[in-house]
Amino acid sequence: MIALIQRVLSARVDVDNETVGTIGAGLLALVAVQPEDGETQAKRMLERLLGYRVFSDEAGKMNRSLSDTGGGLLLVSQFTLAADTRAGMRPSFTSAASPEHGRRWFERLAALAKSSHPTVEIGRFGAHMQVHLVNDGPVTFWLDVP
């Protein structure tokens, strides 16, 4: 499972001119599921999303996590993160999960998150989404859970 996380002041996801998820300060996580992913990867990814220290403490150091700040978490499925871009001029998606497998484990990650954190919003799996964000920093990290 892969997540590209961005520390945000705000973020939202729109589908067909309707807002389906919105948060204030917190993390936007673009998430890709890979073919081998399952319960272990979903639980570990959630642990990393909630525990990764990307928020400033009193001294201005990145020492606080989303769990520490209580900020929002916006989860957006994005299978293109799993693309193989090493060769050619067109990405290959053989390293991305099938839509059925991707939906199952993205939705499991979202369910785990909702049961563990007070503010969790999600995009709409498989939809054409418009993601709006105000990146804070900018602060962006790639998380990979094998």
Side-chain angles (χ1 to χ4, degrees):
M1 194 170 282
I2 299 166
L4 180 72
I5 62 170
Q6 298 180 68
R7 186 177 73 187
V8 298
L9 295 177
S10 64
R12 80 172 196 270
V13 177
D14 296 340
V15 176
D16 295 329
N17 296 316
E18 173 193 357
T19 299
V20 298
T22 186
I23 61 168
L27 285 181
L28 166 64
L30 305 173
V31 179
V33 177
Q34 296 176 293
E36 323 75 44
D37 290 342
E39 188 73 13
T40 300
Q41 289 76 19
K43 286 181 176 178
R44 178 65 177 135
M45 181 57 77
L46 179 61
E47 181 182 332
R48 297 200 75 202
L49 291 172
L50 297 180
Y52 211 66
R53 297 181 303 168
V54 299
F55 297 94
S56 298
D57 63 14
E58 301 76 26
K61 303 280 186 199
M62 283 192 211
N63 270 332
R64 300 185 73 214
S65 68
L66 192 62
S67 290
D68 295 332
T69 66
L73 175 61
L74 178 55
L75 297 170
V76 177
S77 62
Q78 188 175 346
F79 80 95
T80 60
L81 288 176
D84 182 351
T85 60
R86 293 175 289 181
M89 298 303 286
R90 184 170 184 266
S92 168
F93 296 106
T94 58
S95 54
S98 68
E100 299 79 22
H101 187 77
R103 177 184 299 274
R104 176 179 181 193
W105 294 108
F106 177 79
E107 289 178 354
R108 177 63 177 148
L109 174 65
L112 289 167
K114 286 181 177 186
S115 69
S116 302
H117 192 71
T119 306
V120 176
E121 297 280 326
I122 61 170
R124 187 171 295 156
F125 188 92
H128 183 90
M129 296 175 273
Q130 292 77 49
V131 181
H132 307 263
L133 69 135
V134 178
N135 193 317
D136 182 18
V139 172
T140 304
F141 294 98
W142 178 276
L143 301 178
D144 193 356
V145 175

